[in-house]
Amino acid sequence: MKQKIINETFLFTILAIVMGLLVGAVVIFISGYNPIEAYGLMIKGIFSKPKYIARTIIRATPLILTGLSVAFAFRTGLFNIGAEGQFIIGALTAALLGYFIQLPMILHVPIVFLGSVFIASLWGAMAGYMKAKFGVHEVIATIMLNWIALYTSNYIISLEKVKMPGSESSYDIQETARMSIDWFKGIVGASTKVNFGMVIAVLASILIYYILFKTTLGYELRAVGYNKDAAEYGGIHIKRNIIVSMSIAGALAGAAGAVHVMGVSYRASTLAAMEGYGFNGIAVSLIGNNSPFGVVLSSFLFGGITYGGANMQLLGIPTEVINIVIGSIVFFVAAYRIFQWITIFFNHEKPQKEDR
Amino acid sequence: MLKDIAFIFGTTFMYATPLLYGALGGVFSENSGVVNIGIEGMMTIGAFSGAASTFILLELYGNALWVPWAGFLIAGLAGCFLALLHAIACITFRADQVVSGIAINFLGPGLAMFLGGRIFGGSGTTPTIPLEAKLIRPFDTILKGKPLLGMMLNQYISVYIVFSLVGISWYILYKTKFGIRLRAVGEHPKAADTLGINVYQMRYIAVLISGFLSGLGGASLSMAIIANFRPTLVSGQGFIALAAMIFGKWKPQGAMWACLLFGVTTALQIYLGSPAVGLKISTHLLSMIPYIITLIVLMGFVGKSSGPAANGIPYEKGKR
Amino acid sequence: MDYLKSHIDLNELVIDMRKITKKFGDFVANDCIDLKVYKGEVHALLGENGAGKSTLMNILYGLYTPTNGEIYIKGKKVDIKNPNVAIHHGIGMVHQHFMLIKPFTVAENIILGIEPITSFYQLNMKKAIEDVEEISKKYGLYVDPRAKIEDISVSMQQRVEILKALYRGAEILILDEPTAVLTPQEIKELIQIMRNLTKQGKSILLITHKLKEIKEAADFCTIIRRGKKIDMVEVSKIDENQLAAMMVGREVNFKVHKEEKRPGKVILQIKELTVEDNRGISTVKDLNLTVQAGEVLGIAGVDGNGQTELIEAITGLRKAKSGQILIKDYDITNKTPREVFESGISNIPEDRQKHGLVLDFTVYENMILENFRKKPFSKKFKLQKENIINFSKKLIEEFDIRPKDENNLARSLSGGNQQKVIIAREVTNDPELLIAVQPTRGLDVGAIEFVHKSLVDQRNKNKAVLLVSFELDEIMSVSDRIAVIYEGKIVGIVDAKKTTENELGLMMAGGGYK
Amino acid sequence: GGQQPQQKNESEDSQEREVLKIGMVTDVGGVYDKAFNQSAWEGLQRARDELGIEIGYQESKQEADYEDNLERLVEQENDLVWGVGYIMGKQVKEAALNYPDIKFGIIDNTYDEIPKNLQPVIFKDQESSFLVGYIAGKMTKTNKVGFIGGVKGDVIDRFEYGYMTGVKYANSDCELLSQYAGAFDKPAIGRSIAESMYGKGADIIFHASGDTGNGMIAVAQEKNKYAIGVDRDQSKEAPDHVITSAIKKVDNAMFNVAKDLKEGKWNGGETIVYGLSEGGVDIAPTSDKHVPKEILDEVEKLKKKIIDGEIKIPQNEAEYKAMK
Ligand SMILES: Nc1ncnc2c1ncn2[C@@H]1O[C@H](COP(=O)(O)OP(=O)(O)OP(=O)(O)O)[C@@H](O)[C@H]1O
Ligand SMILES: Nc1ncnc2c1ncn2[C@@H]1O[C@H](COP(=O)(O)OP(=O)(O)OP(=O)(O)O)[C@@H](O)[C@H]1O
Ligand SMILES: [Mg+2]
Ligand SMILES: [Mg+2]
């Protein structure tokens, strides 16, 4: 029974992806381009060289972590729109710790990483605290905290000690705080910043799976997520769980920010607008059915479509098509019953009125 | 001093307006039991369609009085179009409403910029519509030469419309047959069903209204506050509108107060940053003011609210 | 009974359901059922949980379409596609689970769907209220049209449901388990109301598990077992035991078998306890009570006399205003639910779906809701799935939970089986004190028998049991001592063997209080 | 989309290829941003039309795209790859170091150490800002003018202090109201700032705030006041109210570098500074519609003085203070 459900979800997700690409193809076609050629370029842009694959992976990495952040909160009954802000805080902290502290690499990397994760988890916990203590809806709290994070980051980067002159960014972090994998550069080129982020992201998804489904903490969190009242009756501390859950979500999104700074950008920049890691994390989490491994797969999909899809500009196809494709995929993931309906329609089976 | 107050007053209403359209849209949708996290996307497509269609109509028919109104209406209809997708997914196919809303937030900007590119040559930005073709400012002539009153009240019609919509929405929701049914469907769809109310139909209508209002909200940006659409125009205001609706406990008046709070804190932020006040504070810090104050207000005074009981739960006939 | 009969017109068949079959997938919920109701009668529908009663009524009300079969109303064949058609044909239904909109007022609930309006689609609430007042006077069903549903008692809500049907001009009323949530007094009132209605020519279809009510109120009774019609009988010609046997298909034992037992030392001691409800009113006032090992103490009382707040205060869900709660001399006043549980109290909550189960968890996950941090179920922070599964398998076997698969979601179980999951879990905790609130609400006789036996088993193992119930039968047959609660105080404690229903009823109404 | 689709050239042999190929990476504004990304693209289009160069672009949506897009253009075997905007300064330099055989260019940014294959181009925004400041100072009737900045930083400083100097140069009693919006994409905030400035008596406002400035232009129209545009000639947005714009001829820079390259010249390793003298910055050609001839004549004289170095224009607060 369980097995069947998993397969069904998977099948519908694949169908949704196909439908999303079809919608994109229609859009490409009416714009006067050849969809096959366009998607050919996209596929090529992902797979035709080890470098491209590496870059797709680099793209997917922060999405896995923000996606996990959203998925984890969802599982515990909370909607974390705040992954965006938690990402920013993680990135900012990594940039500061990575620049100001001088340590040998073996200490520096973990300290910067864990420090950033810690601060971001506090940031996430704030939203949890506001909900637990004051009943502030986490959707509002996290939206507000996103903007506060953005301006906090911009403010700190604008400080004289932090800002690299002649730029709109912080100073680069020390070499000792970077988590790049140098021996890969032979294969994928020096400019491709292969780093340990993917390893961290995959480990994180295993860890989250383990926490959620194999530990007492996960049991508690899921119980609260499904039924607060019963959980409380069973002696589970609801408020503490809300805070714990949001702080873990914050830690995950913060890890995404840290990995981005330590592995790819080496610094934090003034942000004109939200970068979208958190919001895309919501999409990734939902496409992945809020399951830790689903999130990993959907991050690759998302990373692949955005990275490889940019190649379609070669034909002159506007980049907006990518958003339409992703939007359509998410739409069909949501409305998967369309497929059931179509099957029934083609089988000429009249669906039962009550149990459609 | 008076001038400053007038400025804060005027800015408050200007800034609250697009948010309030979105928030009222959310009120309708969510009171019928359909979560609408896609306000942002609906506002974006509305902002684009309003400016784009006004510009095109202007080219076709010249500067007629009805042109901006037609543009405004088309903006609402464009919002409706996305809302229809949301409704089909959420109501007919009982989709997860959050997921569908997120899809709308990708599709809205995607379509707006794509169409913008098709129509106006590769650009996500529409051409600027001239002042005469923007929405009207009804009191422009009356308030000529009255700077103080002008600053407060010489607003675009979209501002007056939305604040009257607060009253109208309240009336519709709480005083009419339609409204009581709509709320019934959001509280306990099965109960409504047993009384012969068509749950699906009510929800469809509510979601479409939601899209229409959100579309107007977008247009109130692109046809009044400025005079064209650009990809960054909405940038997060749909989410603020969502927050305002929750803050306002899913009620039109509540949403209005929440939007006004946002408006007034933003006005304050700008006021405090003005050279006249002469504070030597970074704009980055000033920019946080609206968000911090909102959180403080929420923590201090408002407390819990949970919304309509069946909000977010797809209704399936014959299921218990 | 004969008095009632005089209203029945055996020549006029108002409802005639013929060979109704309803399938859900492969499952046959109704199998070729016939049902005949005469004008002016109260017709009872009897059957175990899941027998198919609600399904049959939902078909009649247009919520389900039958797979097969025909329906005739007053001799005319009808096709009831949806509730509107049913309403049109004069059918009204009070559902097993109330269909009321909590934040709406009584009047708003009653008029919903056929709202009186002035011009411009504006609701005419004034007329609505007048209408409601008028109809409630006509049928003697008094309600406050302006009160919100969430503020009124369950029995009031029941009246609102009935008024809703009558307001739509219902001639045929379906009442699906209307008494499950009522107190004895309220049940009496309801039966009186049903009499009034039949006197006015209405016909009533009554679903209930309580045989006594059938005997008291119904004229004919149709018995359904596993989706099949077993028989239709004239109630006056048959006794309760026969009815029960027909329903279950075997003999049922109503008497709870209890051996004599001397109560042991005091387990629970409540001293001068005062508790406020959500509105800040003290619904429990200076209450004193003790429960001893080896006894079942029943708390009898009309709903709303402080039972809920009392239990919430004991279990740590509500703060006590003053006073003390001790369990074996250990003070648990205002402790967290967890600490209360650790001190040796287990609880079968009143609302099983809200407080007792995580419906989206599997049965095995639900089995460890309080104990997941404890030894065989987890080690340090890791859950020991194998142990949990084995434990659940054992309980499923022991408590005969169906279907026998620990991987099912609790949501997919029937109400009775959900209740068994909770009982299994709570009893297995082997608590010093077991609290059971309305443990048999909505269960069929077979299941009730089982629950009662479980409670008495605890007592026999020399544990203390605190039973709260609105059903006097249950209280009287299971308890050793009975404490009557009235307006937040214990107004008297009697020996269950020596008291009578009358004595208790008097005390529950505040009469026995000196 | 891109006017001329680029050829896929997996098979083509780059050694023997005659046609020069140039690509550019936009910042998050995209190629049709009505600001300097678009201007840059127009420069390349001119190079295509006049010089027969093959061109292409890659749009960025977020910071992470800059590097990927630069890389993509390298993969597409461009001879010269531009990064448009200081925001990707670091990524362009990194790419230049990684691919010494390919030429790179960056707009609006420079470095202490510049690789030979990298061509930074910066603009003396302070010079055009000075000129529009001068116009504002001369044309104000209320003796009050305004400045709206997007986010404070090195680039916007050039605008602000250049403008300030120009205003004071024209009219030393003129009061200057200056305020930052904190964002480049919040027209509603630009709008309120402008409302407050006009309300306080300013009659001309200059902005260097991207989309935020759109709100200012809208208010200028409504209140019938003057506004000064930035980067491109913004008079189209409100022909009767935008009196002039401080323009930055990114197109010229892009075209010139392409032309040089075609002729075999390459000046990489050193920063090209486009000021008035190089035709890199200027005031909008449509300025004569509203600005009186006398003032424009004076502006012409000032241009000369600036080119000749007679007038020094500060780029930031420190230089501004030092000047006094
Ligand atoms: N919507 C449905 N989908 C699938 N099966 C259903 C549905 N409704 C009812 N059933 C099946 O029909 C059977 C009869 O259910 P019904 O609710 O009619 O029982 P009941 O006799 O009213 O029981 P109770 O006395 O507990 O109310 C159930 O056992 C269940 O298996
Ligand atoms: N919508 C449904 N789809 C499938 N099966 C259902 C559905 N609803 C109920 N069932 C099945 O019907 C059976 C009985 O359900 P039902 O709700 O009638 O139980 P019940 O004993 O009547 O409970 P209660 O007394 O609380 O009404 C259960 O085994 C359950 O699995
Ligand atoms: Mg049932
Ligand atoms: Mg039933």
Side-chain angles (χ1 to χ4, degrees), chain D residues 259-271:
Chain D
K259 190 162 168 245
D260 284 353
L261 196 62
K262 171 110 185 181
E263 290 161 2
K265 279 184 272 179
W266 173 252
N267 303 316
E270 268 167 60
T271 307

Side-chain angles (χ1 to χ4, degrees), chain C residues 120-132:
Chain C
F120 295 123
Y121 289 90
Q122 182 176 9
L123 282 179
N124 190 344
M125 276 318 291
K126 197 164 151 268
K127 176 154 190 311
I129 288 171
E130 285 166 10
D131 284 358
V132 170

Side-chain angles (χ1 to χ4, degrees), chain B residues 318 320, chain C residues 24 27 29 48-55 64 96 177 209:
Chain B
R320 23 198 168 171
Chain C
F24 293 110
F27 179 80
E48 288 179 284
N49 291 131
K53 307 178 296 289
S54 298
T55 304
Y64 292 170
Q96 186 168 358
E177 295 195 32
H209 292 293

Side-chain angles (χ1 to χ4, degrees), chain A residues 61-62 64-65 179 181 194-203 259 263:
Chain A
T61 304
I64 295 179
L65 290 164
M179 46 164 82
I181 310 180
V194 179
N195 59 68
F196 285 105
M198 180 47 72
V199 180
I200 290 175
V202 170
L203 287 179
V259 159

Side-chain angles (χ1 to χ4, degrees), chain C residues 85-105:
Chain C
V85 179
I87 293 167
H88 173 78
H89 287 294
I91 301 173
M93 179 160 177
V94 175
H95 294 264
Q96 186 168 358
H97 305 284
F98 285 170
M99 297 290 172
L100 293 171
I101 294 155
K102 292 229 177 87
F104 282 19
T105 63

